[in-house]
Amino acid sequence: MLVTAYLAFVVLLASCLGLELSRCRAKPSGRACSNPSFLRFQLDFYQVYFLALAADWLQAPYLYKLYQHYHFLEGQIAILYVCGLASTVLFGLVASSLVDWLGRKKSCVLFSLTYSLCCLTKLSQDYFVLLVGRALGGLSTALLFSAFEAWYIHEHVERHDFPAEWIPATFARAAFWNHVLAVVAGVAAEAVACWMGLGPVAPFVAAIPLLALAGALALRNWGENYGRQRAFPRTCAGGLRCLLSDRRVLLLGTIQALFESVIFIFVFLWTPVLDPHGAPLGIIFSSFMAASLLGSSLYRIATSKRYHLQPMHLVSLAVLIVVFSLFMLTFSTSPGQESPVESFIAFLLIELACGLYFPSMGFLRRKVIPETEQAGVLNWFRVPLHLLACLGLLVLHDSDRKTGTRNMFSICSAVMVMALLAVVGLFTVVRHDAELRVPSPTGEPYAPEL
C-alpha cells in the first residue's frame, strides 16, 4: 500500500503538471492579467485567502486518525462528524446575513479566531471539548465560503471599479491554486505527523500560525465593507418558490443533494478503509487532491473549442464514475477479503469525478437559478444534502464494524443510482435548452468556479 500510494501520487502529479503546462502555453494573455493595479489588488486578496485555505486543507488528512489515536470508537467518531455537518448546515443558513451585518473583513478575522480555537480543541482528549471544536469548525467553514468571496466581489466592483468581467479570472485562478494548496497540505501533514514523528495532532497545531497570519494580514491590508441586509425568511421563501416552480431547479437540487451527501460519507470512510493497511494518510490525501485537479483540467479540455462537450454531459459522466467506484468498493471492503489497492483506485476515481462534477454543476447552477434567488435556493439544497450525510453516518454508527463499511458503500451505491435517474430526468428536460450550453469559445476556455 505504501509503494502504491507514492507511485499513484507521482503519476497523478505528473499528469496534472503536463496538462497545466500545455494549457498555459496555449493561453492568451488578457488585459486583466497585465493591469498593475488589478494584480496588486488580487495579491492582497490571495495572500489572506490562500493562507486560510492552506490551514483548512492541512487539517483534513489526519482528522479521523486523531480521533482514533484518542481511542474513540468508530461510532463515537461518526457522532463527531455528524456534529460538524450539523453545525455547517445551521451556520451556513445564516452565514450570508451574519457576514453582511458584521462586515466582511471582520468576518474573515472572526474565521481566523474561531478556526484557531477549533484547532486548539484538538489538543484535548475530552469528548465534549472535541464536540465543541466540531461546532466551531462548522462556523469557520461557513465563514470561509461566504465572507472571503463577498469581500472580494464588493471591493472589486464598488471600491476599485474594475470590470465585473474580470471577477471569474480571479476565482478561476483561486480554484486552481486551491487544488495545489490541497496537494501540498497533504504532503506537509504527512511530514509533520509521520516523517517528524510528531503524531496526528501536529497538522492542527501547524495550522494555527497560518490562521493567525491570515487574520493579521486582513486587519492590516483590507478595508471593511458591508452588504445589504436581507430578511432571512424572505430569502428562504423566495428560494423555495423558485425551487418548486422550476423543474430544472428541483432536479438540479436533487442531484446535488444525492451526489454531495455521498461525498461527505466518503470523506468519513476513506481513512478507516485504508489506514489499517499502512497507508500514508497525507500522501493518500494529496493523491486524492491531485486526482481532483486532474478532473478539473479534463473539464477545461472537454469544454474547450476542440472537444466542446457540455457540462450536462460531464455531470452525467461524473455520476456514472462514482456509481462504478462505489460498486467496486462494495466488493473491495468485503470482510475477510479486503483489497486496499482496489479501494484506493476506487477512491481516486471518485475524486476524479468530483473534479468533473463541481465546475459542471457550478455552470448549471448559474444558468438555471436566477441570481436574485441563488442564496435562498442554495440554502434549500444544503438541508437535504447534510441531512442525508448525517443519516448515513448515524446508520454506520449503529452497524457492526466488520460489515458496516461495506453496507454503507452499498447504500451509497443505491443513492448514486437515484442521482443517475435524476440526471436522466434533467437531461430529458434541458436537452433542447441552448442556455445550458457552453458557447463556442473565442478565447480562454471556461474556468470552473471556486
Side-chain angles (χ1 to χ4, degrees):
M1 191 65 228
L2 187 70
V3 174
T4 303
Y6 279 95
L7 182 61
F9 175 60
V10 171
V11 170
L12 287 166
L13 202 57
S15 302
C16 292
L17 285 173
L19 287 175
E20 289 302 323
L21 286 173
S22 63
R23 186 176 73 91
C24 288
R25 282 197 296 268
K27 179 180 174 183
S29 178
R31 186 163 59 95
C33 299
S34 59
N35 184 301
S37 299
F38 178 67
L39 291 176
R40 281 195 300 272
F41 170 58
Q42 264 193 337
L43 181 61
D44 283 342
F45 172 66
Y46 285 152
Q47 283 177 335
V48 178
Y49 190 46
F50 287 168
L51 284 168
L53 290 173
D56 184 44
W57 287 124
L58 195 59
Q59 303 170 54
Y62 278 90
L63 180 60
Y64 188 101
K65 182 69 173 180
L66 177 69
Y67 296 144
Q68 207 172 45
H69 179 72
Y70 289 158
H71 305 295
F72 293 117
L73 302 174
E74 185 176 44
Q76 293 174 303
I77 299 173
I79 296 298
L80 287 167
Y81 273 75
V82 167
C83 179
L85 287 173
S87 173
T88 298
V89 70
L90 288 175
F91 287 118
L93 291 172
V94 299
S96 295
S97 301
L98 173 65
V99 165
D100 290 342
W101 172 76
L102 183 63
R104 279 75 178 261
K105 172 183 170 179
K106 293 190 190 75
S107 298
C108 294
V109 175
L110 178 62
F111 157 82
S112 299
L113 293 173
T114 55
Y115 221 6
S116 296
L117 288 174
C118 172
C119 292
L120 286 173
T121 62
K122 301 299 188 293
L123 296 170
S124 172
Q125 298 187 34
D126 184 89
Y127 193 71
F128 177 76
V129 173
L130 292 172
L131 283 171
V132 172
R134 290 296 290 167
L136 288 170
L139 171 59
S140 304
T141 300
L143 291 173
L144 176 62
F145 294 109
S146 57
F148 288 85
E149 183 176 334
W151 179 89
Y152 176 83
I153 292 173
H154 185 280
E155 295 289 306
H156 180 108
V157 175
E158 301 295 335
R159 184 166 305 203
H160 294 277
D161 197 28
F162 293 128
E165 294 77 18
W166 292 1
I167 292 175
T170 297
F171 289 116
R173 185 176 295 177
F176 169 74
W177 286 106
N178 183 35
H179 278 104
V180 173
L181 287 169
V183 172
V184 174
V187 177
E190 186 70 17
V192 296
C194 289
W195 300 346
M196 296 181 185
L198 299 178
V201 76
F204 299 92
V205 176
I208 295 174
L210 300 180
L211 293 166
L213 184 57
L217 287 174
L219 277 172
R220 191 187 73 177
N221 298 335
W222 286 13
E224 184 61 276
N225 62 61
Y226 298 86
R228 283 189 304 172
Q229 295 296 306
R230 293 165 290 181
F232 178 69
R234 185 179 300 172
T235 300
C236 289
L240 183 60
R241 280 194 302 271
C242 179
L243 191 65
L244 296 178
S245 62
D246 191 336
R247 192 180 173 197
R248 299 177 306 167
V249 177
L250 185 60
L251 286 168
L252 204 65
T254 302
I255 296 166
Q256 179 173 333
L258 295 173
F259 186 98
E260 296 180 28
S261 62
V262 168
I263 299 305
F264 275 119
I265 294 171
F266 152 71
V267 167
F268 174 82
L269 288 175
W270 73 266
T271 304
V273 169
L274 298 179
D275 186 45
H277 303 280
L281 298 181
I283 301 302
I284 292 286
F285 179 80
S286 291
S287 300
F288 290 165
M289 295 299 102
S292 180
L293 177 57
L294 182 61
S296 295
S297 299
L298 291 174
Y299 170 84
R300 285 193 292 268
I301 293 170
T303 55
S304 66
K305 185 177 182 180
R306 182 175 181 181
Y307 298 101
H308 203 44
L309 291 176
Q310 299 303 320
M312 194 65 236
H313 301 145
L314 298 176
V315 167
S316 306
L317 177 60
V319 173
L320 279 170
I321 291 172
V322 175
V323 170
F324 172 74
S325 303
L326 290 168
F327 277 122
M328 282 180 63
L329 287 163
T330 59
F331 293 102
S332 65
T333 57
S334 180
Q337 300 177 354
E338 292 91 348
S339 176
V341 173
E342 186 179 329
S343 297
F344 179 46
I345 293 171
F347 288 147
L348 289 176
L349 287 173
I350 290 174
E351 286 290 350
L352 179 72
C354 288
L356 293 169
Y357 165 85
F358 283 106
S360 304
M361 183 59 74
F363 175 87
L364 294 172
R365 276 201 306 263
R366 285 193 300 273
K367 294 295 183 179
V368 168
I369 306 172
E371 187 175 352
T372 55
E373 304 294 348
Q374 283 203 13
V377 171
L378 291 177
N379 282 340
W380 287 106
F381 282 8
R382 289 188 190 104
V383 172
L385 189 164
H386 288 85
L387 182 61
L388 285 170
C390 289
L391 287 174
L393 292 176
L394 289 173
V395 168
L396 184 65
H397 164 57
D398 288 333
S399 64
D400 176 36
R401 171 68 183 90
K402 291 183 179 180
T403 59
T405 300
R406 185 190 183 192
N407 292 341
M408 183 50 59
F409 285 127
S410 299
I411 293 171
C412 288
S413 299
V415 170
M416 286 308 300
V417 169
M418 289 190 286
L420 186 59
L421 294 174
V423 168
V424 172
L426 181 61
F427 198 84
T428 303
V429 171
V430 305
R431 65 181 182 274
H432 300 305
D433 194 339
E435 184 187 6
L436 300 186
R437 294 180 177 273
V438 176
S440 297
T442 56
E444 180 183 353
Y446 170 76
E449 68 168 14
L450 181 63

